[in-house]
Amino acid sequence: MSQRRYNELWADAQLALSCLLTEELPAEPPRPEKDRVVFFQRLAMLYVRYIQIFRQLEEIYDQVVHPQKRRVIRAILDGVIGRVLELKNEMVEKEFSEYHYMDDILHDLKLTPEALEIPIPRYFISERGKELQKRTTMLTDILKMVEVTESPEPLMAKDMSQEKAIKIIQVAERARQGRLRAKLNEESRNMNRMYRTKDPGTEAIESATVCIQKVWRGFMQRKRTKIVREEEMIFLGMAMDPKFQAPSPAEVAALSSEACTKIKQEEHCEDYQKSLVSVTNQLRDVEGDDISKTMKEQIRQWFIECRDTTGSFPDYPDEEDGGSALIFAEKNPKQLLEEIAAKEEEDSNNKPKGKEEKKEKGKKEKGKDDEEEEEAGLKMLPSAFLPDLEMENKIFEDFWKNRNETRNFSQRHEVELIKEERRKIIEAEIRVKVDEQMRQELAEWKLAVDKDKGGKTKANAKKKKGSKSGKKKKKEKDLTADRTLESLCQELVEEGLLKQANDVRLHDYMGDYSYLGTTLRQNDIEPMPSLSDVRQVLSLYAVLPLGSQYVHEKAPLIKAILLAGPEGVGKKMLIHAICQETGANLFDLSPLNTAGKYPGKSGLAMMLHMVFKVARLLQPSVIWIEDAEKMFYKKVPKEEKELDPKRLKKDLPKSLKLIKGEDRVLIVGTTKDPLSADIKSLCKMYSKIILIPRPDYGSRYILWNQLIRKRGGDVTRSLDLGSLAKISDGYTPGHMVQVIQSIITKRRILQQANRPLTAAEFVAPLAKIDPVFQEEEEALKNWYAKTPLGKKRIKAATGKEEEEAPVKGKDAKKKGKK
């Protein structure tokens, strides 16, 4: 699309955003909502609408070329992301569940489930390309030095059991004998043909021709029927036309134009950065002296006016308070007079009589009662992003909405806007120097004019105040202050604590949308989340905060996440996907990985210090703890006592507390057996617990289809995916991958033309694997019900039942009276 079209899309997105802002920031605050369901519906509606704007702005930001527009769009995009995270946090607090089902809202808005998919901004990776490249080269160099990179195994005789060796010999011998029998049979057939010397009769020839015709005509008719059926399915829209399966010329042209826009973006950004430097230097040289002179004149005028009004020179504001900028922002001479008049009025009104005091107390108490009545209900939590969004929306309306860009066809930067921005920065720089000079000048004026004795005491008092405020908190001891970042990284790689993430994306974690979630909840049945819901929750809790520094600092802070689910549901894959989507480093502090490394208390402190120090310096970072339940065992098994899995139980939560908003560091734990851990200490460590279930029917159908295609298999009509998805109930994605790898080999891929894949081939290897039984899933659900959020949900559900019970009783009494 053209740049003009993207400008129109931006205007549409801003219009939708301004409508949302007027709803969320009304002139009068809305009344609290007493009905929890109505309040949640309002939140969910806002959430869906913000996601739509998020999707539009992400696409616009990725393709717009104008560097100054991109800065504004980026600020708005980050604000929208932050608001989405705030709404998600509020929905969790109001519904007491990590998963939400909005099929009724999608139906009302006439949207598909894809509209709820959280888009991952491409700028997370694209704008950090050089930094990520440097980091990967550094890690690969370290890996080469340490010889950790996977090298081909040397040709050596492997240890083999006697039974396995005998089996291999038997298979080879039977195959040899089979080949010999086949050769002998073929030779015997040829000999028999040679000895047949009788001439066939006319009847035999006719019957042979009829047989050949019958077979040929049947073959041709089946071929025609197949073609007609395929044409019918294409006509009905049930199958894709083969000509559309290959990328069309329009798609190829669109991809090439996107690549060209990326190159233009980089060129325009470089020109913009160069012009920033040149314009700043030019303004400093041309206007710097004039700005400093006008500032000095204004400040001197302020000195004289304050002297005339108050009878003494004022105290100069400190640098921490803003210096002379505070004078003109808040305290000019007129405002000083107003403040003095207001103080006099307050002094006169501070001494009311007895009756007036009683009346005022009565009014205050009434006011408090009214406020308490108003507070009885659900209110929206205060937002950290709405004021910024309102300000950026105003910038769009003032500067960009009606801007005439007929002369800027190439969408390069505008110098006048740069001058306006840089002038403010230059004024701030000059103001610091002017403040130093004017403080000295004010001190000289005071010595010359004001010869009061209290001057010294005031100065001393100020010094004392300054000394009190100057006390600093104790900082952490840097145990590795004398070491470079590269040496720390090298040591962590050698010890296996810093790893490279696998090349997996979040969209590779496939799953279908949960279509019956709202219906089940209306019937008081708690639905199990689908794999699509898990993917969305992790996008919100992990990917979006780690990808943007601004969002991470202002959004609700999530320090640790626990992924709980049976083996094979994709917990490890999700951690690697988070790292790949955000360009994060992967640290492994699993109990089995840290066993025997850095022994003793001092060694443990050093290990944690190094990991968290490197994680902060190379943020964003993900610290993975596999088998997180081992750290909080109720009772350590005998075979694991030597490994000491609970050694991080005390020190890791302490390190977790030191993570702040500016540190893009996330701890992610995975567990397949949370029942063996102490639930209180586990929930205290992990603020978010995400339950990952086995896949439902829709997710299994998608998984079979996509995994078979990915492996190189052809999904034809002979492969009944519906039946395969039905019989694989209870099996995880890991089990499916295992089965597909065993069936679809290189030889089987070559045989597909003559013998297409069937569902029966996958049944035998599936039967050899133990599925996740219903009892295991129920045990996980019961465990999750004991977590803080699960308890709240159960309490809210029982509260509703108790409310409904008396209402039913009243209705029964009324019926009885009638």
Side-chain angles (χ1 to χ4, degrees):
M1 289 190 287
S2 64
Q3 292 297 309
R4 184 178 178 182
R5 178 59 183 153
Y6 282 115
N7 289 334
E8 290 171 2
L9 288 173
W10 185 24
D12 294 341
Q14 287 296 140
L15 182 64
L17 181 62
S18 61
C19 293
L20 277 175
L21 289 172
T22 51
E23 284 182 29
E24 288 213 79
L25 299 168
E28 294 181 0
R31 291 183 178 179
E33 182 61 54
K34 292 183 179 179
D35 192 349
R36 190 175 287 274
V37 177
V38 174
F39 186 77
F40 179 79
Q41 288 289 321
R42 190 193 302 167
L43 283 175
M45 187 70 77
L46 287 171
Y47 175 77
V48 173
R49 288 166 69 186
Y50 268 112
I51 286 175
Q52 289 178 286
I53 294 167
F54 174 20
R55 193 182 297 278
Q56 291 173 349
L57 288 172
E58 197 278 324
E59 186 183 355
I60 292 160
Y61 181 72
D62 188 59
Q63 291 298 313
V64 166
V65 174
H66 198 296
Q68 288 157 314
K69 285 181 185 176
R70 280 173 62 79
R71 289 179 67 193
V72 179
I73 295 167
R74 169 69 182 275
I76 296 166
L77 177 58
D78 285 345
V80 170
I81 292 170
R83 187 61 188 144
V84 167
L85 296 180
E86 284 181 338
L87 288 169
K88 172 67 180 177
N89 181 56
E90 202 158 350
M91 285 194 294
V92 170
E93 289 185 1
K94 298 300 182 288
E95 207 182 26
F96 309 117
S97 174
E98 300 289 357
Y99 300 103
H100 313 291
Y101 305 99
M102 306 175 191
D103 24 315
D104 52 344
I105 292 166
L106 291 177
H107 184 267
D108 293 342
L109 295 174
K110 297 180 181 178
L111 298 171
T112 60
E114 291 177 359
L116 281 178
E117 196 68 37
I118 306 296
I120 295 166
R122 283 161 276 191
Y123 76 84
F124 285 177
I125 301 296
S126 62
E127 292 190 358
R128 297 175 57 231
K130 292 179 181 178
E131 180 190 341
L132 291 174
Q133 195 173 357
K134 285 180 183 177
R135 192 181 296 176
T136 48
T137 50
M138 183 179 76
L139 282 174
T140 48
D141 291 341
I142 293 167
L143 286 166
K144 284 176 184 177
M145 288 169 64
V146 183
E147 296 180 354
V148 178
T149 48
E150 294 179 5
S151 56
E153 293 181 2
L155 295 170
M156 293 173 67
K158 293 182 179 178
D159 294 333
M160 189 182 295
S161 63
Q162 189 177 359
E163 292 177 1
K164 197 172 183 182
I166 292 166
K167 194 174 181 182
I168 289 167
I169 293 166
Q170 283 178 344
V171 168
E173 179 59 25
R174 285 168 184 169
R176 187 187 66 79
Q177 290 177 7
R179 284 193 295 272
L180 281 173
R181 285 194 205 99
K183 192 175 181 181
L184 289 169
N185 287 333
E186 192 176 352
E187 287 175 358
S188 65
R189 282 194 214 99
N190 292 335
M191 291 293 287
N192 290 333
R193 285 172 193 161
M194 286 171 66
Y195 289 118
R196 285 177 189 170
T197 55
K198 291 181 180 180
D199 294 330
T202 55
E203 291 181 1
I205 291 168
E206 284 180 5
S207 64
T209 53
V210 168
C211 185
I212 291 165
Q213 283 178 352
K214 195 186 289 183
V215 171
W216 175 251
R217 284 173 181 171
F219 170 73
M220 291 303 293
Q221 188 57 42
R222 283 192 296 275
K223 195 173 180 180
R224 288 191 205 101
T225 306
K226 187 180 178 183
I227 291 165
V228 170
R229 181 173 175 77
E230 285 176 357
E231 288 175 354
E232 185 183 3
M233 296 297 282
I234 289 165
F235 176 73
L236 293 172
M238 299 295 289
M240 187 179 283
D241 198 337
K243 66 181 181 182
F244 295 126
Q245 288 177 1
S248 63
E251 288 177 347
V252 174
L255 290 171
S256 63
S257 69
E258 283 183 8
C260 290
T261 52
K262 290 287 180 186
I263 294 164
K264 277 186 181 178
Q265 276 180 5
E266 291 177 3
E267 290 176 359
H268 290 194
C269 186
E270 286 176 8
D271 292 345
Y272 176 65
Q273 295 298 332
K274 287 175 184 176
S275 64
L276 277 177
V277 176
S278 61
V279 169
T280 305
N281 293 333
Q282 186 184 354
L283 285 172
R284 196 179 282 116
D285 295 339
V286 175
E287 299 181 10
D289 294 335
D290 296 336
I291 291 168
S292 64
K293 284 178 184 177
T294 51
M295 279 184 187
K296 286 176 182 178
E297 287 174 3
Q298 288 174 355
I299 292 165
R300 287 190 189 108
Q301 186 67 26
W302 180 73
F303 289 164
I304 294 162
E305 288 178 0
C306 286
R307 168 74 177 174
D308 293 340
T309 52
T310 60
S312 62
F313 286 116
D315 295 326
Y316 207 90
D318 296 328
E319 287 182 16
E320 295 172 358
D321 298 331
S324 58
L326 190 70
I327 297 167
F328 303 106
E330 295 181 2
K331 290 185 179 181
N332 53 23
K334 289 181 181 178
Q335 287 176 342
L336 276 172
L337 291 169
E338 288 174 5
E339 284 180 7
I340 291 163
K343 283 180 183 178
E344 288 176 356
E345 286 178 7
E346 284 176 7
D347 292 337
S348 61
N349 294 329
N350 277 339
K351 296 178 182 179
K353 292 179 182 179
K355 290 181 181 179
E356 289 176 0
E357 280 181 2
K358 286 178 184 178
K359 285 180 183 178
E360 283 180 8
K361 282 182 182 178
K363 285 179 183 177
K364 284 179 182 177
E365 286 172 1
K366 284 180 183 178
K368 284 180 183 177
D369 293 335
D370 293 339
E371 284 175 5
E372 285 174 1
E373 287 177 4
E374 284 180 2
E375 284 174 4
L378 298 169
K379 287 182 179 180
M380 297 277 281
L381 296 171
S383 171
F385 293 95
L386 283 177
D388 294 345
L389 277 174
E390 193 176 19
M391 185 179 71
E392 295 296 334
N393 189 48
K394 193 178 179 184
I395 289 168
F396 168 76
E397 289 178 353
D398 293 344
F399 287 98
W400 300 107
K401 189 176 182 180
N402 300 315
R403 197 171 189 82
N404 186 9
E405 292 188 292
T406 51
R407 294 183 180 180
N408 190 11
F409 181 75
S410 61
Q411 291 291 292
R412 292 191 175 273
H413 61 270
E414 298 186 22
V415 179
E416 291 301 320
L417 288 175
I418 293 174
K419 284 182 179 178
E420 288 177 13
E421 290 176 5
R422 304 312 287 183
R423 204 172 269 121
K424 293 175 184 176
I425 295 166
I426 290 164
E427 281 180 5
E429 290 175 1
I430 293 168
R431 192 179 292 281
V432 175
K433 296 177 183 177
V434 169
D435 285 349
E436 290 177 4
Q437 294 172 6
M438 296 310 293
R439 277 195 190 91
Q440 293 176 359
E441 194 170 326
L442 180 62
E444 290 172 4
W445 284 21
K446 280 184 177 181
L447 288 171
V449 180
D450 298 333
K451 294 181 180 180
D452 297 334
K453 293 179 182 179
K456 289 181 182 179
T457 56
K458 284 180 184 176
N460 292 332
K462 277 191 179 181
K463 283 178 185 176
K464 286 177 185 177
K465 284 179 185 177
S467 64
K468 282 181 184 178
S469 62
K471 286 183 181 178
K472 293 181 181 178
K473 293 180 181 179
K474 290 182 180 178
K475 290 186 177 180
E476 286 183 81
K477 288 182 180 178
D478 192 353
L479 303 174
T480 55
D482 56 339
R483 293 184 62 181
T484 60
L485 179 62
E486 289 182 1
S487 67
L488 292 172
C489 289
Q490 186 174 343
E491 186 175 338
L492 290 174
V493 170
E494 285 173 1
E495 296 294 338
L497 300 176
L498 177 58
K499 297 182 176 180
Q500 276 190 330
N502 298 336
D503 190 12
V504 180
R505 298 287 175 178
L506 209 58
H507 60 76
D508 295 330
Y509 190 78
M510 293 166 284
D512 199 11
Y513 180 74
S514 183
Y515 296 97
L516 294 173
T518 306
T519 309
L520 290 170
R521 277 194 171 170
Q522 285 171 354
N523 294 320
D524 296 329
I525 300 168
E526 186 60 29
M528 286 300 284
S530 67
L531 300 186
S532 173
D533 299 327
V534 174
R535 186 175 64 239
Q536 288 180 30
V537 166
L538 273 175
S539 298
L540 291 165
Y541 287 164
V543 177
L544 295 181
L546 283 176
S548 173
Q549 183 70 36
Y550 170 78
V551 172
H552 194 272
E553 285 178 3
K554 288 199 165 189
L557 185 60
I558 297 169
K559 296 181 181 180
I561 299 171
L562 180 68
L563 306 180
E567 191 175 358
V569 291
K571 301 183 288 292
K572 185 178 177 181
M573 177 187 173
L574 285 168
I575 285 163
H576 287 276
I578 291 165
C579 294
Q580 287 292 339
E581 294 290 357
T582 58
N585 297 294
L586 181 61
F587 297 87
D588 189 357
L589 283 181
S590 306
L592 294 178
N593 191 41
T594 56
K597 297 172 185 176
Y598 297 96
K601 287 186 178 180
S602 59
L604 184 63
M606 177 62 78
M607 180 180 72
L608 288 173
H609 168 76
M610 285 171 62
V611 167
F612 277 89
K613 182 180 178 179
V614 175
R616 285 191 181 94
L617 291 171
L618 297 178
Q619 58 181 291
S621 298
V622 172
I623 298 171
W624 174 36
I625 301 170
E626 191 179 11
D627 297 329
E629 77 279 359
K630 293 180 186 293
M631 200 184 295
F632 303 100
Y633 265 144
K634 293 175 186 174
K635 188 179 180 182
V636 180
K638 290 180 180 178
E639 59 271 13
E640 293 184 20
K641 278 187 178 178
E642 293 181 1
L643 301 173
D644 192 14
K646 297 174 74 173
R647 66 188 295 232
L648 288 170
K649 184 180 178 180
K650 291 181 180 178
D651 293 330
L652 190 62
K654 290 177 184 176
S655 302
L656 181 67
K657 287 178 183 177
L658 299 173
I659 296 174
K660 297 175 184 176
E662 59 268 17
D663 301 326
R664 283 186 291 162
V665 178
L666 180 69
I667 295 175
V668 185
T670 58
T671 175
K672 58 188 175 185
D673 184 24
L675 299 166
S676 61
D678 180 28
I679 193 165
K680 284 185 180 179
S681 51
L682 194 70
C683 294
K684 195 176 180 182
M685 169 83 179
Y686 297 98
S687 57
K688 293 288 180 184
I689 299 173
I690 297 168
L691 188 65
I692 305 176
R694 55 186 186 173
D696 55 1
Y697 173 81
S699 298
R700 291 196 300 275
Y701 188 93
I702 291 169
L703 282 164
W704 281 117
N705 189 5
Q706 295 298 325
L707 290 172
I708 288 169
R709 290 178 190 275
K710 195 174 181 181
R711 185 72 179 171
D714 293 332
V715 178
T716 58
R717 288 180 62 198
S718 58
L719 180 58
D720 190 357
L721 287 176
S723 300
L724 194 58
K726 188 72 178 173
I727 63 170
S728 59
D729 185 16
Y731 290 95
T732 62
H735 295 151
M736 293 179 192
V737 170
Q738 190 179 338
V739 169
I740 288 165
Q741 285 175 352
S742 65
I743 294 296
I744 304 176
T745 58
K746 289 180 181 179
R747 187 181 177 191
R748 188 67 186 87
I749 289 165
L750 294 171
Q751 293 174 348
Q752 284 184 115
N754 300 322
R755 188 164 64 91
L757 289 167
T758 58
E761 294 179 63
F762 298 92
V763 175
L766 261 181
K768 294 176 183 177
I769 302 169
D770 290 331
V772 178
F773 295 104
Q774 190 70 30
E775 293 80 8
E776 189 178 344
E777 194 169 79
E778 287 297 324
L780 276 172
K781 282 179 76 174
N782 294 333
W783 172 83
Y784 187 75
K786 295 174 185 176
T787 61
L789 199 65
K791 285 179 181 177
K792 286 178 183 177
R793 180 147 189 84
I794 292 167
K795 192 176 178 181
T798 52
K800 281 183 185 177
E801 289 174 6
E802 287 173 2
E803 285 176 6
E804 287 172 3
V807 173
K808 287 178 183 176
K810 286 177 184 177
D811 292 341
K813 283 179 184 178
K814 285 178 183 177
K815 285 179 184 177
K817 284 178 183 178
K818 285 178 183 178

